[in-house]
Amino acid sequence: MMEVHVIRRENRHLYTDILEDYFRIRHQIYVVERKWTELDRPDKREIDQFDTDDTVYLLGLDGRAIVAGMRLVPTTSPTLLSELFPALALNGPVRRRDVYELSRIFVVPNRRGEHAGPRAEAVIQAAAMEFGLSIGLSAFTIVLESWWLPRLLDQGWLARPLGLPVNINSLSTVAVIVDVNDEAWTKICSRRSVPGSTLVWQGLSALERHPVRDPVAAV
Ligand code: COA
């Protein structure tokens, strides 16, 4: 099974080549496949204002090859919800130290819809929950296309809408907040056959990996 690597400011230098591949895969998936053409850039890397030093990447790797990915942005920094889609949150965007926004969740085309073993899509999402628990988060926010909402609920995540769905580029889009807790992790693992922990914290110190006195202070 693929391992999911935690990549953040402190260990990014260990993943320079992989991050280069990562931004090119994002271009292929979001600009070419999904046709989010406003993200197109001359260098063919899909990278935006939310890819900063504060951003954490969870990358599912098979050896050095990227299978799946996800981006996590602290909600104390600018997020998709706060900067691009504030109308999706009726009470205003969430800005809390213990809440991160998930975005750019993908699986490379030839590893989608797998049936043998846990599918990469479930492994990367279980890994996000494991990461949230590890650093002491209490919730994730997600701006998502509405078709994804029943899938989140079905995998055992308590996803509550922050507002009404809105049509964006002809797609129904909604913002949700999802509780980070042990139950959400064990449910996705048992419902989606994820055997347990998948996170690799290469080059990160214990302080950055585990909640201590003030969990999110380590982030
Ligand atoms: N619109 C509507 N439904 C979609 C969809 C879309 N853009 N993308 C996937 N789905 C549905 C599929 O129809 C499929 O439904 P089914 O099981 O009833 O046939 C289901 O989601 C599973 O999708 P699939 O791609 O077969 O497998 P997966 O679960 O391994 O991967 C994604 C799901 C979304 C991770 C993968 O399709 C992907 O990487 N897509 C491109 C990136 C993306 O759009 N991410 C979401 C926005 S950040």
Side-chain angles (χ1 to χ4, degrees), residues 29-30 33-34 36 67 69 102-109 111-115 119-122 124-125 142-145 147-148 151 171:
I29 289 179
Y30 292 104
E33 177 188 345
R34 295 297 321 268
W36 295 358
V67 174
L102 307 184
S103 59
R104 299 296 197 270
I105 307 167
F106 71 81
V107 173
V108 295
R111 297 292 298 269
R112 292 181 196 161
E114 289 182 328
H115 293 294
R119 59 207 279 165
E121 183 255 2
I124 196 81
Q125 294 201 62
I142 322 177
V143 173
L144 42 78
E145 293 162 0
W147 59 265
W148 202 312
R151 293 163 58 88
L171 277 172

Side-chain angles (χ1 to χ4, degrees), residues 6-173:
V6 179
I7 306 175
R8 41 184 291 169
R9 181 191 300 136
E10 295 81 1
N11 65 346
R12 207 168 278 196
H13 60 283
L14 301 175
Y15 293 92
T16 312
D17 53 336
I18 286 176
L19 284 172
E20 189 57 32
D21 287 348
Y22 166 70
F23 290 118
R24 291 185 190 284
I25 288 172
R26 270 179 39 182
H27 173 88
Q28 193 57 34
I29 289 179
Y30 292 104
V31 179
V32 178
E33 177 188 345
R34 295 297 321 268
K35 299 190 172 37
W36 295 358
T37 49
E38 67 277 15
L39 302 177
D40 197 7
R41 294 170 20 129
D43 67 359
K44 304 302 174 201
R45 298 157 86 233
E46 196 275 286
I47 184 163
D48 68 13
Q49 69 267 43
F50 309 108
D51 294 295
T52 71
D53 278 354
D54 293 331
T55 307
V56 179
Y57 301 98
L58 298 183
L59 295 189
L61 301 182
D62 203 343
R64 302 289 285 179
I66 297 173
V67 174
M70 180 177 304
R71 174 173 78 173
L72 299 91
V73 175
T75 59
T76 47
S77 301
T79 59
L80 289 169
L81 185 59
S82 70
E83 306 306 303
L84 302 185
F85 307 111
L88 294 177
L90 288 176
N91 294 325
V94 176
R95 292 181 202 278
R96 280 170 34 195
R97 291 172 66 238
D98 59 343
V99 180
Y100 274 35
E101 180 184 79
L102 307 184
S103 59
R104 299 296 197 270
I105 307 167
F106 71 81
V107 173
V108 295
N110 66 352
R111 297 292 298 269
R112 292 181 196 161
E114 289 182 328
H115 293 294
R119 59 207 279 165
E121 183 255 2
V123 174
I124 196 81
Q125 294 201 62
M129 195 52 77
E130 184 189 345
F131 175 80
L133 289 169
S134 300
I135 66 160
L137 300 184
S138 64
F140 295 126
T141 54
I142 322 177
V143 173
L144 42 78
E145 293 162 0
S146 301
W147 59 265
W148 202 312
L149 186 51
R151 293 163 58 88
L152 291 186
L153 298 171
D154 190 55
Q155 72 194 25
W157 285 17
L158 187 59
R160 283 162 285 126
L162 292 166
L164 296 171
V166 172
N167 251 17
I168 299 173
N169 295 334
S170 312
L171 277 172
S172 172
T173 307

Side-chain angles (χ1 to χ4, degrees), residues 177-196:
I177 186 159
V178 176
D179 289 344
V180 169
N181 53 37
D182 286 328
E183 195 183 355
W185 186 57
T186 51
K187 273 194 173 161
I188 188 171
C189 290
S190 64
R191 291 186 186 183
R192 297 289 185 265
S193 308
V194 179

